[in-house]
């Protein structure tokens, strides 16, 4: 129902919202009626906040590095101080330092893990403290949404992104833990794995060569899902992972047990493991691993040519 999609009276914090995907998400939430705290490192945060207010919405900017643990608390406080509530957290801020594992430096690793994973944790922790206290004060569940930004890189184990893949895997696990830990307070936490043509992904996706009015990899397509997940309509969606781009939203299934190997006695010997595992994996294909390479099959449908009027 339309009223369950309305975000009027809600306040959202969006990190990395000065450009690209975060900007599109902030604009979409504002369009749905939410007040928005726009976070980014530089002046663009103010530009986006001004863009929202010029369109009749409500927004303020708070600049800062999400990997600064205290920024999470300041973002929550800013939401409450400026707009009277804090209801939605969209974690989007991130950087890339793409290297093969043999070329990866310590700073390449630390910087990506710090901004992506620690940044998500810092804001999620601050949000959790706020909502837990609010739930106790209210004597029951409150409204709260966490939407984290993971990536297909964690599903594939991208060869040129060991740091980014690891960070995104961690973000997915963080999302599941948040969903479990906060559900009793009425909070819902989900992760999205988006493809969007932004400055950060320019080298990967290049330019739009399609004929559709809206780029198949437009950030606005992802922002629509974020807007939905932020709404009351999504109340029964928790601890889920979505892949989203083009005209597609795909729900990922949990990993399943492929096979079970049992020792004949109380414990395996190495010889017994050899007898069971070696023939089982003999001739196994390169891509028959824990990685979810079947997700790549979604691309054709997701990026199918659309009418120019779209």
């Amino acid at each position: 129902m339309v009223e369950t999609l309305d975000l009027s009276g809600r306040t959202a914090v969006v990190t990395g919202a000065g450009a690209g995907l975060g900007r599109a998400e902030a604009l979409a939430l504002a369009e749905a009626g939410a007040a928005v705290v726009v976070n980014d490192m530089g002046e663009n945060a103010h530009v986006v906040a001004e863009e929202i207010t010029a369109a009749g919405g409500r927004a303020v900017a708070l600049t800062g590095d999400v990997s600064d643990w205290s920024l999470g608390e300041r973002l929550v406080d800013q939401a409450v101080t400026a707009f009277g509530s804090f209801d939605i957290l969209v974690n989007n801020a991130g950087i890339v330092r793409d290297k093969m594992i043999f070329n990866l430096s310590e700073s390449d690793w630390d910087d990506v893990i710090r901004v992506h994973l620690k940044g998500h944790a810092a804001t999620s922790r601050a949000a959790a403290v706020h909502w837990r206290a609010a739930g106790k004060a209210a004597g029951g569940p409150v409204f709260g949404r966490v939407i984290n930004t993971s990536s297909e890189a964690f599903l594939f184990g991208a060869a040129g992104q060991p740091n980014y893949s690891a960070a995104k895997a961690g973000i997915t696990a963080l999302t599941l833990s948040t969903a479990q830990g906060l559900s009793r307070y009425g909070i819902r936490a989900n992760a999205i794995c988006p493809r969007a043509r932004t400055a950060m992904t320019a080298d990967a996706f290049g330019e739009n060569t399609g004929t559709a009015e809206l780029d198949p990899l437009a950030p606005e397509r992802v922002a629509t899902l974020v807007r939905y997940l932020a709404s009351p309509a999504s109340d029964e969606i928790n601890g889920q992972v979505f892949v989203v781009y083009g005209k597609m939203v795909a729900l990922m299934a949990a990993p399943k047990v492929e096979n079970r190997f049992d020792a004949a006695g109380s414990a395996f010997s190495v010889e017994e493991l050899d007898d069971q595992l070696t023939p089982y994996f003999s001739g196994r294909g390169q891509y028959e691993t824990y990685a979810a390479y079947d997700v790549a099959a979604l691309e054709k449908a997701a990026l199918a040519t659309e009418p120019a009027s779209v």
Side-chain angles (χ1 to χ4, degrees), residues 48-301:
V48 173
E50 291 168 4
E51 187 177 359
I52 290 172
T53 56
R58 297 182 300 156
V60 295
L62 180 61
T63 58
D65 183 347
V66 291
S67 67
D68 175 357
W69 195 257
S70 67
L71 181 64
E73 294 178 0
R74 285 185 278 135
L75 286 167
V76 172
D77 289 344
Q78 179 78 325
V80 174
T81 300
F83 303 115
S85 70
F86 166 65
D87 310 283
I88 300 156
L89 171 62
V90 180
N91 280 313
N92 172 74
I95 61 172
V96 289
R97 300 286 187 270
D98 292 352
K99 300 283 181 64
M100 298 293 285
I101 187 66
F102 42 76
N103 287 328
L104 191 68
S105 70
E106 184 176 5
S107 63
D108 292 332
W109 174 267
D110 287 347
D111 289 348
V112 170
I113 297 297
R114 175 178 53 81
V115 175
H116 284 278
L117 185 52
K118 184 181 178 183
H120 273 62
T123 54
S124 296
R125 183 262 179 190
V129 169
H130 173 83
W131 285 323
R132 181 170 179 260
K136 287 186 174 182
V142 296
F143 180 91
R145 298 287 186 267
V146 178
I147 300 145
N148 288 334
T149 305
S150 186
S151 170
E152 290 171 275
F154 106 86
L155 294 168
F156 297 150
Q161 297 180 309
N163 45 4
Y164 184 79
S165 299
K168 293 305 187 180
I171 286 169
T172 303
L174 173 65
T175 304
L176 299 178
S177 181
T178 303
Q180 290 287 335
L182 298 184
S183 62
R184 74 185 72 176
Y185 303 109
I187 312 308
R188 306 293 179 255
N190 296 286
I192 61 171
C193 300
R195 287 195 195 184
R197 203 183 311 275
T198 67
M200 196 173 83
T201 63
D203 291 341
F205 296 142
E207 297 181 0
N208 177 29
T209 58
T211 59
E213 182 177 323
L214 184 63
D215 183 351
L217 292 176
E220 290 77 11
R221 295 178 182 268
V222 177
T224 302
L225 175 61
V226 170
R227 175 175 171 172
Y228 167 75
L229 290 175
S231 74
S234 68
D235 193 56
E236 294 190 66
I237 303 175
N238 196 34
Q240 304 297 333
V241 178
F242 295 92
V243 176
V244 53
Y245 57 92
K247 57 182 184 178
M248 174 208 77
V249 173
L251 174 64
M252 296 303 299
K256 298 179 180 179
V257 176
E258 177 185 332
N259 202 354
R260 173 175 165 170
F261 306 92
D262 291 293
S266 61
F268 269 110
S269 68
V270 68
E271 291 81 10
E272 194 176 5
L273 285 171
D274 178 41
D275 288 342
Q276 291 195 43
L277 270 64
T278 300
Y280 185 83
F281 285 98
S282 178
R284 195 176 180 95
Q286 176 184 355
Y287 298 109
E288 294 180 74
T289 70
Y290 190 78
Y293 284 102
D294 59 334
V295 175
L298 295 170
E299 184 166 1
K300 185 175 181 181

